[in-house]
Amino acid sequence: MDFPDRIESGMQRALRFATANGCPPILAKALRHAVFPGGARIRPRLCLAVAAACGDGEPSVADAAATAIELLHCASLVHDDMPCFDNAMMRRGRASVHAEFGEQIALLAGDGLIVTAFETIARETLQRPDLTGPIIATIAKSVGAPYGLVAGQAWESEPEINIAIYHRAKTASLFSGAVSTGAIASGGNPLDWLGLADALGAAYQVADDLYDAVGQDDGVGKPAGQDGRNAKPNIVATLGLDAALQRLKNLVGEAVDCVPDCPGAEAFRTMIRQEATRLMPKTLATSAA
Amino acid sequence: MDFPDRIESGMQRALRFATANGCPPILAKALRHAVFPGGARIRPRLCLAVAAACGDGEPSVADAAATAIELLHCASLVHDDMPCFDNAMMRRGRASVHAEFGEQIALLAGDGLIVTAFETIARETLQRPDLTGPIIATIAKSVGAPYGLVAGQAWESEPEINIAIYHRAKTASLFSGAVSTGAIASGGNPLDWLGLADALGAAYQVADDLYDAVGQDDGVGKPAGQDGRNAKPNIVATLGLDAALQRLKNLVGEAVDCVPDCPGAEAFRTMIRQEATRLMPKTLATSAA
């Protein structure tokens, strides 16, 4: 199976367990709504790509990590769309979870997806118990406090905010988790991949801010102009469009340079360049690629 | 160390990691506010008591499970108090997390505590990797979907609700997780303890409903009369006070009868009888004990 098939198969399997017979029907619908159809599945593809570059020694463990990371990403979108945060009524071209099912179910669906993520790793790594703890610890670090996604969101409530620390926690940390667990699942050394993870996470944040700024709403998922309306830091607002684009180019180059020696290094570099173009708003892709 | 000291020590250690240097300060305060000072710590004490009854073969693993279970309980209280659920401004005699820190931070603190729970198990069971997966899977099952705490809360959004299934998911499941992980941590068989877990979980739900009904607000945590105001099922409203009290007595007796043969069975039975009195509203304790 190629990466997209492995990812959808892993997500389907995780959701079959979470919404099994006996699950409250509305919650089951909301959990599926939050996860299918997916967005670009960027983070799990990155996880599987790193695992493949390292030889893909334990594909079922890599699949479990990729699934858990995407479940956590989906959970963060559900909670982030809620009225007390972005109050976004749309997500991926249709109603957000709270718009469709109400706030109570949205809150619970997000919680349920977080739990399902860790449950998936525990269940799918039974054949390699030596990897269960390291993968769960790595993913938890990338989404929790003090340095993960939850901390990143929480910086938005602080009177003073360091934009680099904020973006590292809110965006780069989950990329880092995807890269590290991909390496761990295949016997690679996650430390060799840290530079790549940092550069890619930062590149993705710039791409996300570019989408918000240039007013396209075709892939990343958040409606254009939302950062400004919600008074959130945006790199384009800070640096200007040209400098932000240049920054994205530099970060992609940096990511390519950071790929460590491994069986699949060259294929991995090619993939990063393709992803970079795919990540960018189409009106900007030609000039920055 | 006795159980309360082990529990507070485990909670302090987990929170030191979650609120380490670099954590957004308001989030760090909210995480601590959600966890300290604690309530009765009933679930982690139960977990440690079962581990002790089974010989307490791996106290550090039992401590990790107990800590994770209490963190998840605290997370559920934070989210359950939010305006879209109970809109409770008070918890354990002072401001609830959202009342003190706002909805955004309350949502994130709950999410962060869920992540911290699983991270704690991964970190604290490194010496017994064979137990990491089973303990995480057991706890995840007791808090997630389709049968755990999240599912229990979600039943409140359904047009039709089976009160037994609702209470089993919302309350008994986490008791069951506490009992099962206590057994797993000490080499006991969690299946031997299922009957006890069911009876105790059901007993606690009746005690909680009695508190709500008789108008005392001194221990369990939720203000009296809240179920009626929020149109939630309450056993006292359904059966009447006398029948509810009798039900509680029967369930405690059932729990005592269900303690399996193990090194510490007699001490454990004594503890259940003491807990039962302690759990009850003081005005009712004498008649039901």
Side-chain angles (χ1 to χ4, degrees):
Chain A
M1 283 199 283
D2 58 9
F3 294 165
D5 286 345
R6 284 171 65 180
I7 292 162
E8 294 316 309
S9 168
M11 300 295 282
Q12 288 286 359
R13 184 172 158 80
L15 268 287
R16 269 201 303 279
F17 278 97
T19 65
N21 204 10
C23 186
I26 298 170
L27 177 66
K29 268 192 204 161
L31 289 167
R32 296 202 153 271
H33 188 98
V35 169
F36 305 116
R41 309 286 202 214
I42 297 169
R43 294 157 193 79
R45 280 195 288 121
L46 181 60
C47 176
L48 293 186
V50 172
C54 294
D56 213 9
E58 288 284 358
S60 66
V61 175
D63 287 347
T67 300
I69 283 164
E70 183 66 7
L71 289 169
L72 289 161
H73 173 61
C74 292
S76 81
L77 298 182
V78 172
H79 281 179
D80 203 20
D81 283 344
M82 285 180 68
C84 69
F85 277 106
D86 291 351
N87 197 21
M89 304 305 281
M90 300 291 287
R91 166 68 62 184
R92 293 170 181 160
R94 57 185 189 145
S96 59
V97 175
H98 77 91
E100 183 79 17
F101 300 95
E103 281 188 66
Q104 292 195 350
I105 288 291
L107 182 48
L108 293 171
D111 291 353
L113 291 172
I114 300 173
V115 174
T116 300
F118 293 107
E119 190 169 15
T120 297
I121 302 168
R123 187 182 58 237
E124 306 293 340
T125 62
L126 285 177
Q127 305 306 313
R128 285 298 303 271
D130 56 314
L131 298 179
T132 310
I135 286 182
I136 286 178
T138 302
I139 290 179
K141 194 179 153 204
S142 74
V143 292
Y147 310 123
L149 184 44
V150 162
Q153 298 263 95
W155 277 114
E156 294 171 12
S157 296
E158 292 289 334
E160 286 185 33
I161 181 169
N162 173 319
I163 194 169
I165 291 175
Y166 164 65
H167 280 152
R168 179 179 294 262
K170 186 168 177 189
T171 306
S173 63
L174 197 49
F175 277 83
S176 191
V179 168
S180 297
T181 52
I184 293 169
S186 292
N189 183 349
L191 296 178
D192 295 343
W193 292 84
L194 277 188
L196 173 92
D198 276 358
L200 277 186
Y204 180 75
Q205 182 63 55
V206 178
D208 197 47
D209 284 2
L210 282 167
Y211 267 96
D212 189 271
V214 305
Q216 251 176 279
D217 182 17
D218 62 349
V220 169
K222 72 182 181 184
Q226 189 163 282
D227 288 342
R229 285 194 301 279
N230 291 317
K232 289 194 187 181
N234 181 302
I235 287 172
V236 180
T238 311
L239 300 181
L241 185 62
D242 288 347
L245 257 179
Q246 185 57 49
R247 175 121 179 226
L248 179 55
K249 284 165 81 170
N250 295 347
L251 286 166
V252 171
E254 198 181 306
V256 169
D257 291 343
C258 283
V259 176
D261 281 338
C262 61
E266 206 36 61
F268 194 86
R269 289 191 190 99
T270 306
M271 191 211 73
I272 292 177
R273 291 194 196 93
Q274 286 169 349
E275 282 292 301
T277 315
R278 188 169 155 171
L279 269 183
M280 245 172 272
K282 288 184 185 56
T283 46
L284 303 175
T286 326
S287 61
Chain B
M1 283 198 285
D2 59 9
F3 295 166
D5 287 345
R6 285 172 65 179
I7 292 162
E8 293 316 307
S9 169
M11 299 296 281
Q12 288 286 359
R13 183 170 158 81
L15 268 287
R16 270 201 303 280
F17 277 97
T19 64
N21 204 10
C23 187
I26 298 170
L27 177 66
K29 268 191 204 161
L31 289 167
R32 296 203 153 270
H33 187 98
V35 169
F36 303 115
R41 309 286 201 212
I42 296 169
R43 294 156 193 79
R45 280 194 288 122
L46 181 59
C47 175
L48 294 186
V50 172
C54 295
D56 214 9
E58 289 284 358
S60 66
V61 175
D63 287 347
T67 301
I69 283 164
E70 183 66 7
L71 289 168
L72 289 161
H73 173 61
C74 292
S76 81
L77 298 181
V78 173
H79 282 178
D80 203 20
D81 283 344
M82 285 182 67
C84 69
F85 277 106
D86 291 351
N87 197 22
M89 303 306 280
M90 300 293 286
R91 165 69 62 184
R92 292 170 181 160
R94 58 185 190 146
S96 58
V97 174
H98 78 91
E100 182 78 18
F101 300 95
E103 281 188 67
Q104 291 194 351
I105 289 291
L107 183 48
L108 294 170
D111 291 354
L113 291 173
I114 300 173
V115 174
T116 300
F118 293 107
E119 191 170 15
T120 297
I121 301 168
R123 187 183 58 239
E124 306 294 340
T125 62
L126 286 176
Q127 305 307 314
R128 285 297 303 271
D130 56 313
L131 298 179
T132 311
I135 285 182
I136 286 178
T138 302
I139 290 180
K141 194 180 154 204
S142 74
V143 291
Y147 310 121
L149 184 44
V150 162
Q153 297 262 96
W155 278 114
E156 294 171 11
S157 297
E158 292 289 334
E160 286 184 33
I161 182 168
N162 174 318
I163 196 169
I165 291 175
Y166 164 65
H167 280 153
R168 176 178 296 262
K170 187 168 177 190
T171 306
S173 64
L174 197 49
F175 277 83
S176 189
V179 168
S180 297
T181 53
I184 293 170
S186 291
N189 183 349
L191 296 178
D192 295 342
W193 291 84
L194 276 187
L196 173 92
D198 276 358
L200 277 186
Y204 180 76
Q205 181 63 54
V206 178
D208 196 47
D209 285 2
L210 282 168
Y211 266 96
D212 190 272
V214 304
Q216 249 176 283
D217 182 18
D218 62 349
V220 169
K222 70 181 183 186
Q226 188 163 283
D227 289 341
R229 286 194 300 278
N230 292 317
K232 289 192 186 181
N234 182 301
I235 288 172
V236 181
T238 311
L239 301 181
L241 185 62
D242 288 346
L245 258 178
Q246 186 57 48
R247 176 122 178 225
L248 178 53
K249 284 165 82 169
N250 295 348
L251 287 166
V252 171
E254 198 181 307
V256 169
D257 291 342
C258 283
V259 176
D261 281 338
C262 61
E266 206 37 59
F268 193 87
R269 289 192 190 98
T270 306
M271 192 210 74
I272 292 177
R273 291 194 195 93
Q274 286 170 349
E275 282 293 300
T277 315
R278 186 168 157 171
L279 269 184
M280 246 172 270
K282 289 185 184 55
T283 46
L284 303 174
T286 325
S287 61

